[in-house]
Amino acid sequence: MDMMVKAAGLGDILDKVRGGERLTPEDGLRLYKSPDLLSVGYLANIVRERLNGNRAYFIYNQHVNYSNVCTNLCKFCAFGKEKGTPQAYEMSGAEVREKIRERLAEPITEVHVVGGIHPELPYSYYLEMLRGIKEVRPEIHIQGFTCVEIAHLAELAGKSVKETLLELKAAGLGSIPGGGAEVFSPRIRKLTCEKKLSGEGWLEVAKTAHSIGLKSNATMLYGHIETLEERVEHLDALRSAQDETGGFMTFIPLAFHPKNTAMHDISKTTGMEDLKNIAVARCYLDNFPHIKGYWVMIGPKLAQVALSFGADDMDGTVKEERITQMAGGESAQALSDKELIRLIREAGREPIERDTLYNVIKTY
Ligand code: V47
């Protein structure tokens, strides 16, 4: 393999990866540009195995998308709808509690709660939603509200982001998912999601969360109009933020799904691109403990292969996720824990059921 990596012109990066030396933005760009996926994957696998050995994580979780009403209406999103339009919906607090109650018999440890930027729901709705979920299932970990939603909630509350996060935490919020990061580049945000919180704003919210002990994840939406340079800048900004706080757990590259979006003329991502994004992220984000191959977006089969290209996590059982589904996602809406275990085992990895914070729940 070393010969192959050298023949691909990546010998110097192999030396850096082996020596635990940090990659430069130029290195990151060369990895993105390399057509030699196996070499890039080999490099990523060195980092993956150094950090996570042969372990591959999954979680027994549930998604609740409480509302799709959104004032941002990003061009890449098929989920967000304008208030009052036929497909717009919002769940009442009682409906959210019912979603949790319905699945009390399953060993779910995490609920992933994400919605849009709703123009009317009051701040109390969000606090009550958290308290309500905890009432029905006290031991569940709520991973909820992207940094974009948190900034909106702070505005609603008329409080600082820090004060708002402290109140959300007291109401039951356990950690923050990685959504809303998109691509930090102001050019991309202007062209695709002009109304959304800026990249700097997103990073500020994440860092503030970390400062009060809330862990979070980070994403990058790739495969639309971003350049490779903009991808590297995005990864670089995340790596710098992580140097400051150490509060990120997982990076999740999100493959753009064009169907039903304002950018539907763009082709879907390919398997090469999906694996490349996982592998480059694993090499570049040397201070992120985990990289997730999110099966809902790249399909269970590719997420399985991704376990040899840098990923150490497959996310979880999910069920009822709407963001990908609305944008033409073809994956099933749920995988059982048995299916996840089989996928991981057949990839030659050791399946580990984890909780949100990567504590081991069960090994197989
Ligand atoms: O922020 C929106 C993305 C994100 C599309 O933290 C799209 O563990 C592809 O962030 N095609 C929400 N992506 C989902 C998310 C997430 C999912 C699973 C786990 C975690 C985690 C985070 O989905 C949005 C946006 O970047 N998105 N539309 C689309 N058409």
Side-chain angles (χ1 to χ4, degrees):
M1 282 303 281
D2 282 25
M3 291 296 287
M4 187 180 85
V5 178
K6 282 181 192 149
L10 302 173
D12 56 329
I13 300 187
L14 175 63
D15 291 341
K16 282 190 181 180
V17 166
R18 281 248 167 79
E21 200 182 317
R22 183 157 269 198
L23 301 190
T24 64
E26 293 70 36
D27 295 332
L29 203 54
R30 279 170 59 207
L31 293 178
Y32 268 128
K33 285 186 176 162
S34 170
D36 193 333
L37 177 66
L38 283 183
S39 291
V40 180
Y42 177 68
L43 296 171
N45 199 49
I46 295 173
V47 184
R48 184 239 192 266
E49 291 189 352
R50 181 186 303 136
L51 293 174
N52 290 296
N54 204 31
R55 298 181 288 283
Y57 295 96
F58 71 95
I59 186 163
Y60 211 119
N61 65 353
Q62 164 178 18
H63 278 227
V64 176
N65 297 130
Y66 59 89
S67 172
N68 64 351
V69 175
C70 191
T71 51
N72 280 347
L73 300 175
C74 305
K75 295 202 172 112
F76 49 73
C77 184
F79 172 71
K81 298 282 178 260
E82 213 168 330
K83 171 90 185 150
T85 55
Q87 286 174 295
Y89 73 88
E90 65 238 340
M91 294 181 189
S92 65
E95 282 169 325
V96 172
R97 290 195 296 279
E98 191 45 37
K99 285 272 166 217
I100 304 296
R101 200 170 290 120
E102 271 169 14
R103 299 185 64 191
L104 276 175
E106 293 175 58
I108 291 168
T109 63
E110 171 193 276
V111 57
H112 182 115
V113 180
V114 168
I117 300 302
H118 197 292
E120 285 163 19
L121 291 172
Y123 180 50
S124 56
Y125 168 90
Y126 301 90
L127 291 172
E128 278 159 25
M129 176 161 54
L130 294 171
R131 290 188 197 114
I133 293 172
K134 284 291 202 185
E135 231 172 76
V136 178
R137 196 156 193 170
E139 72 296 342
I140 206 165
H141 181 109
I142 307 177
Q143 180 165 83
F145 310 133
T146 66
C147 291
V148 179
E149 286 165 285
I150 302 280
H152 171 64
L153 297 191
E155 257 178 47
L156 282 182
K159 294 180 180 165
S160 69
V161 167
K162 188 171 182 176
E163 267 178 284
T164 308
L165 282 165
L166 284 166
E167 284 182 358
L168 294 168
K169 193 177 173 196
L173 185 67
S175 63
I176 298 179
E182 321 310 355
V183 180
F184 294 142
S185 147
R187 182 188 81 89
I188 294 293
R189 279 182 127 70
K190 189 158 181 357
L191 289 171
T192 65
C193 54
E194 200 169 9
K195 294 195 193 150
K196 189 167 241 165
L197 180 70
S198 69
E200 281 126 45
W202 189 97
L203 286 163
E204 247 350 278
V205 174
K207 286 195 270 183
T208 308
H210 302 165
S211 78
I212 63 151
L214 283 174
K215 294 273 186 188
S216 76
N217 292 337
T219 54
M220 176 175 73
L221 180 68
Y222 66 91
H224 44 97
I225 56 166
E226 81 289 358
T227 63
L228 299 183
E229 286 81 0
E230 284 163 339
R231 285 187 198 168
V232 174
E233 281 161 25
H234 185 93
L235 296 181
D236 201 63
L238 286 173
R239 195 172 70 179
S240 300
Q242 179 73 331
D243 277 342
E244 282 179 49
T245 66
F248 289 111
M249 297 183 286
T250 311
F251 176 73
I252 310 116
L254 298 174
F256 175 52
H257 284 57
K259 200 169 167 189
N260 302 326
T261 74
M263 297 164 81
H264 55 82
D265 50 333
I266 293 176
S267 303
K268 284 198 267 190
T269 62
T270 63
M272 286 288 283
E273 213 182 335
D274 293 336
L275 290 178
K276 180 76 83 64
N277 272 281
I278 285 176
V280 177
R282 182 61 290 171
C283 294
Y284 203 82
L285 297 175
D286 52 17
N287 52 6
F288 270 63
H290 305 285
I291 304 286
K292 191 182 282 185
Y294 185 39
W295 66 263
V296 176
M297 289 218 183
I298 59 173
K301 291 184 182 181
L302 199 64
Q304 178 191 39
V305 176
L307 296 174
S308 302
F309 284 75
D312 62 283
D313 190 330
M314 293 194 70
D315 201 86
T317 45
V318 181
K319 213 169 184 175
E320 289 192 89
E321 187 270 3
R322 297 194 200 221
I323 298 173
T324 323
Q325 189 193 18
M326 291 298 296
E330 283 157 15
S331 300
Q333 276 290 288
L335 280 182
S336 68
D337 48 348
K338 283 193 190 63
E339 286 167 304
L340 284 162
I341 291 163
R342 176 170 172 233
L343 287 165
I344 292 171
R345 278 224 175 99
E346 287 194 6
R349 300 296 189 190
E350 182 196 350
I352 300 195
E353 186 190 339
R354 63 166 174 91
D355 67 10
T356 309
L357 304 174
Y358 287 84
N359 297 304
V360 175
I361 292 188
K362 198 169 172 190
T363 55
Y364 294 85

